[in-house]
Amino acid sequence: MGRSRELKREMRNAVHSEASTAALYIPVLNATPVPITVRVHRRSDMPNIGESPLYGGEAMMAITEDRLRFKRSELPDHLRVKSVVSVEAGEAYRIEFWYPRDDQFITARVTPLLEAEAEGLPVPTNG
């Protein structure tokens, strides 16, 4: 049983490495940003509620909230609601709720900031 758990960890790390993007965690206004990686899950990227042609017309449902998925080891110990995650110029998210931590990752429900709200926030550097 221990080996399967270790394989699952390796696979989840590989998915995060491939699907994540650089970001900055900003716990409070004017705080030093923390460089992190996140996976962005937007409502518009998820399937709609309704019938699926792939499954014989059976109903399907999606979680309809914007979420960010973080690697626990990259975040500070104390996580704040209303903190901000800056992904790139004009794209940032406010943390509304932190879900319970799991083995390696943590997910937050977020609200995208308007472009004007995100203007002037620090952004991650690629390099």
Side-chain angles (χ1 to χ4, degrees), residues 71-75 104:
K71 196 167 189 176
R72 285 180 56 184
S73 62
E74 296 176 348
L75 288 168
Q104 298 170 292

Side-chain angles (χ1 to χ4, degrees), residues 3-32:
R3 179 70 181 134
S4 64
R5 179 176 236 182
E6 200 52 44
L7 286 171
K8 183 177 177 182
R9 284 182 181 130
E10 290 172 17
M11 289 185 290
R12 292 177 79 199
N13 274 319
V15 167
H16 188 80
S17 293
E18 289 298 318
S20 65
T21 188
L24 296 174
Y25 174 74
I26 307 166
V28 293
L29 187 63
N30 298 323
T32 301

Side-chain angles (χ1 to χ4, degrees), residues 50-117:
E51 290 186 2
S52 170
L54 300 175
Y55 299 104
E58 296 171 4
M60 58 187 237
M61 190 171 75
I63 298 171
T64 57
E65 62 185 25
D66 293 321
R67 295 172 286 137
L68 297 179
R69 186 88 162 148
F70 302 85
K71 196 167 189 176
R72 285 180 56 184
S73 62
E74 296 176 348
L75 288 168
D77 289 333
H78 181 71
L79 301 175
R80 297 177 177 267
V81 171
K82 303 297 180 197
S83 57
V84 171
V85 176
S86 176
V87 176
E88 59 184 46
E91 182 183 0
Y93 303 88
R94 180 170 292 109
I95 305 293
E96 300 298 336
F97 177 81
W98 290 99
Y99 288 96
R101 298 170 185 244
D102 68 15
D103 184 40
Q104 298 170 292
F105 298 93
I106 187 165
T107 301
R109 183 176 60 230
V110 297
T111 300
L113 297 181
L114 299 174
E115 193 170 333
E117 294 173 305

Side-chain angles (χ1 to χ4, degrees), residues 41-54:
H41 299 280
R42 296 292 310 267
R43 280 185 278 210
S44 58
D45 297 336
M46 297 177 202
N48 294 321
I49 296 173
E51 290 186 2
S52 170
L54 300 175

